[in-house]
Amino acid sequence: MKLEIFKANSISQIREITNRIFNSFSGAFPKSNDSKILLKPNFNANMNALTGNTTDLRLIAAIIESLKNRGYQNITIGEGTNSGYYRNSISVIARLKVDELAKYYGVKVKDLNYSEPVYIEFEDGIKAGVAKEVLDADFLINIPKL
């Protein structure tokens, strides 16, 4: 296993590092440009990325740009934020402007809290619901916050 940490302060640095990382992992990407790619950021709250609570939208934008430059078009941003927000009819996706980012880049956005669950069975009959979009994706990019 390999761990690398990069620091970027501007959108141009984020783009450059994203492209460098994608180039080094190019063999892992799907062969078909029609593949379903799911970007899974972390939006734990309706606070911007500078608080450390959410994935930076500049990183999501750089990833989308890099994927589109490689010919991928079937891209979805999918996240299911903390339950307290959606139970109170607060859309963190809308508050953080992720929906506007998706519209700007022509990609889909899905609140996974409202997805059709597919139940996965574990030991002792325990089941967990997983959002259908996660299981239907051909390629998943996890974009955690730091």
Side-chain angles (χ1 to χ4, degrees):
M1 180 179 269
K2 180 179 173 182
L3 172 67
E4 292 185 65
I5 298 174
F6 300 93
K7 181 177 181 180
N9 294 314
S10 68
I11 187 64
S12 62
Q13 290 174 335
I14 293 169
R15 284 182 181 123
E16 181 213 324
I17 291 168
T18 299
N19 282 321
R20 189 176 348 145
I21 292 168
F22 278 24
N23 286 339
S24 69
F25 287 96
S26 62
F29 284 90
K31 304 256 185 285
S32 171
N33 285 346
D34 295 329
S35 297
K36 295 178 188 174
I37 298 179
L38 179 66
L39 307 182
K40 173 55 182 78
N42 289 114
F43 302 132
N44 294 332
N46 62 346
M47 296 179 252
N48 73 35
L50 296 177
T51 65
N53 280 288
T54 57
T55 302
D56 194 315
L57 296 183
R58 296 174 303 170
L59 178 57
I60 298 170
I63 290 170
I64 292 168
E65 289 172 7
S66 190
L67 289 168
K68 286 197 163 222
N69 287 339
R70 286 168 170 72
Y72 297 104
Q73 299 299 318
N74 194 355
I75 303 166
T76 301
I77 303 168
E79 167 62 329
T81 194
N82 289 337
S83 61
Y85 289 99
Y86 79 90
R87 287 185 186 142
N88 290 306
S89 299
I90 298 170
S91 172
V92 172
I93 288 172
R95 282 202 179 173
L96 292 175
K97 307 295 185 197
V98 178
D99 52 349
E100 291 182 27
L101 177 83
K103 183 177 178 182
Y104 177 82
Y105 283 105
V107 302
K108 296 173 278 248
V109 64
K110 177 69 177 178
D111 185 333
L112 300 178
N113 288 318
Y114 298 103
S115 293
E116 176 186 338
V118 175
Y119 290 93
I120 308 295
E121 192 164 337
F122 295 95
E123 291 181 8
D124 301 324
I126 296 172
K127 293 182 181 181
V130 177
K132 187 176 185 320
E133 290 81 3
V134 174
L135 297 176
D136 286 347
D138 297 308
F139 195 71
L140 177 93
I141 299 176
N142 186 35
I143 315 169
K145 60 184 181 61
L146 180 60

